[in-house]
Amino acid sequence: MHTSVHCSEGTSRHSGGVGRQVGDRRSFSHVSGWTARQHCPHVHRRKEGCDSGFVLRARRGRVEQAPSCTVLNIQPDGSDTWRLQTAIEDLLASKIGIIPTDTSPAFVCCLHDRVAVQAMFDIAGLSVSKKLSVMVRGIAELESLTTGLPAANGPGQPALFRILRSTLPGPYTLILTASKGMPKQVVAAASGKRKSTIRKTVGIRWPDNPVCQALMAGVDGPLLCTTVPGRDDPGGEEQAPDLAELADRYCAAGVGFVVAEEGQRWGASTVIDFSGARPTVVRVGDGDLDPFLPYLPDA
């Protein structure tokens, strides 16, 4: 099968192999799996790398891209994360993906890519007031995007750094004060014609999942993330959508790839707010609160 790809200069090119299977990677019959970089030579990169704000643009006109989506099946133990190269390339090309985490599937994009961040708001149907989380690779990245961890301020209170070293990576979201290193587009509470107000805090995630770690290593930077909505069952409870449902729902909307992992969980992270004078538990989820009890007198 061949799919016609229309470039902004009025030319059209063809890509083959649509619908082929390579290992566990599958391209749906209605998508091509092409990238503008491969098929439209007049499209070029402004800067190299995810953290540098990688964007695709045309020298004149717009790049008209047909919806494309790739499904990648990955083992839960991360033994075949080499299959994620396509997903890494998509992230570097300002695309949005759906990936497994240590809680629930999440939309992800490169944190410092303004084009991708706006696309994620559009594809996921998020309001400009939606608070998103930032996925990091470790404490060093956490501290570069926030003002750091609060110091112990009570007798016998252990250093929070040591607690995090023993609990992370894991199913926690830590609300911390954002630093100047955090892109304003991420913490802005309004956009467009309305004047933006900048939130002072941001949720930080360091998930215990090999797919998350491999993608961040591949793009060499943090990812912006938000949970994929579930589906309501007859009993009124939210349940995890299956792979086919995710693909049907979001591929046509512009998601670039979906990573499937056998036994994907459907849960919620434990959210702790460390931005105020006293830490507070915002939500009790999958993460164990016991290590944080010295900081949470009311827990």
Side-chain angles (χ1 to χ4, degrees), residues 38-91:
Q38 294 170 326
H39 297 276
C40 302
H42 58 282
V43 178
H44 59 96
R45 290 176 289 183
R46 184 178 63 192
K47 292 183 180 180
E48 194 72 38
C50 175
D51 280 342
S52 299
F54 180 107
V55 296
L56 293 174
R57 60 178 180 173
R59 290 174 184 163
R60 57 180 187 270
R62 294 183 59 185
V63 177
E64 297 179 2
Q65 179 172 345
S68 62
C69 189
T70 300
V71 173
L72 302 162
N73 293 306
I74 303 297
Q75 295 298 317
D77 61 2
S79 58
D80 58 350
T81 51
W82 55 269
R83 297 180 185 276
L84 294 172
Q85 186 58 39
T86 300
I88 292 169
E89 293 174 358
D90 280 350
L91 288 171

Side-chain angles (χ1 to χ4, degrees), residues 106-130:
F107 293 105
V108 294
C109 71
C110 285
L111 174 65
H112 294 280
D113 189 330
R114 292 179 60 87
V115 173
V117 172
Q118 184 58 56
M120 190 160 81
F121 272 89
D122 295 339
I123 292 172
L126 305 176
S127 69
V128 293
S129 61
K130 172 68 175 179

Side-chain angles (χ1 to χ4, degrees), residues 194-215:
R194 297 174 57 191
K195 183 177 180 181
S196 296
T197 57
I198 304 301
R199 290 189 291 265
K200 297 181 179 180
T201 61
V202 65
I204 300 292
R205 287 274 282 122
W206 182 6
D208 184 15
N209 181 278
V211 171
C212 299
Q213 298 296 328
L215 290 177

Side-chain angles (χ1 to χ4, degrees), residues 16-263:
V18 179
R20 69 176 185 267
Q21 293 189 2
V22 180
D24 286 334
R25 188 178 74 184
R26 294 175 293 156
S27 296
F28 288 93
S29 60
H30 64 285
V31 302
S32 63
W34 67 280
T35 65
R37 176 175 46 185
Q38 294 170 326
H39 297 276
C40 302
H42 58 282
V43 178
H44 59 96
R45 290 176 289 183
R46 184 178 63 192
K47 292 183 180 180
E48 194 72 38
C50 175
D51 280 342
S52 299
F54 180 107
V55 296
L56 293 174
R57 60 178 180 173
R59 290 174 184 163
R60 57 180 187 270
R62 294 183 59 185
V63 177
E64 297 179 2
Q65 179 172 345
S68 62
C69 189
T70 300
V71 173
L72 302 162
N73 293 306
I74 303 297
Q75 295 298 317
D77 61 2
S79 58
D80 58 350
T81 51
W82 55 269
R83 297 180 185 276
L84 294 172
Q85 186 58 39
T86 300
I88 292 169
E89 293 174 358
D90 280 350
L91 288 171
L92 292 173
S94 299
K95 291 188 179 182
I96 313 304
I98 296 177
I99 67 172
T101 70
D102 55 358
T103 54
S104 297
F107 293 105
V108 294
C109 71
C110 285
L111 174 65
H112 294 280
D113 189 330
R114 292 179 60 87
V115 173
V117 172
Q118 184 58 56
M120 190 160 81
F121 272 89
D122 295 339
I123 292 172
L126 305 176
S127 69
V128 293
S129 61
K130 172 68 175 179
K131 296 180 180 179
L132 306 184
S133 296
V134 175
M135 195 179 292
V136 300
R137 292 175 285 180
I139 299 295
E141 236 166 32
L142 177 153
E143 292 183 331
S144 71
L145 296 170
T146 69
T147 56
L149 303 171
N153 56 11
Q157 195 174 57
L160 181 58
F161 178 84
R162 291 203 300 270
I163 295 177
L164 293 183
R165 293 289 292 182
S166 66
T167 56
L168 297 178
Y172 298 90
T173 299
L174 308 180
I175 299 178
L176 298 167
T177 302
S179 70
K180 293 182 179 180
M182 185 67 65
K184 289 184 178 180
Q185 188 179 14
V186 175
V187 292
S191 63
K193 295 181 179 179
R194 297 174 57 191
K195 183 177 180 181
S196 296
T197 57
I198 304 301
R199 290 189 291 265
K200 297 181 179 180
T201 61
V202 65
I204 300 292
R205 287 274 282 122
W206 182 6
D208 184 15
N209 181 278
V211 171
C212 299
Q213 298 296 328
L215 290 177
M216 286 188 285
V219 301
D220 193 23
L223 300 175
L224 188 66
C225 63
T226 187
T227 301
V228 175
R231 54 186 172 84
D232 295 332
D233 69 2
E237 295 183 358
E238 192 176 50
Q239 293 187 345
D242 59 26
L243 174 63
E245 184 179 349
L246 287 177
D248 289 343
R249 188 192 306 178
Y250 293 111
C251 284
V255 164
F257 64 91
V258 177
V259 178
E261 184 182 79
E262 184 179 353

Side-chain angles (χ1 to χ4, degrees), residues 1-3 14-18 20 32 39:
M1 174 189 268
H2 294 272
T3 300
H14 296 273
S15 62
V18 179
R20 69 176 185 267
S32 63
H39 297 276

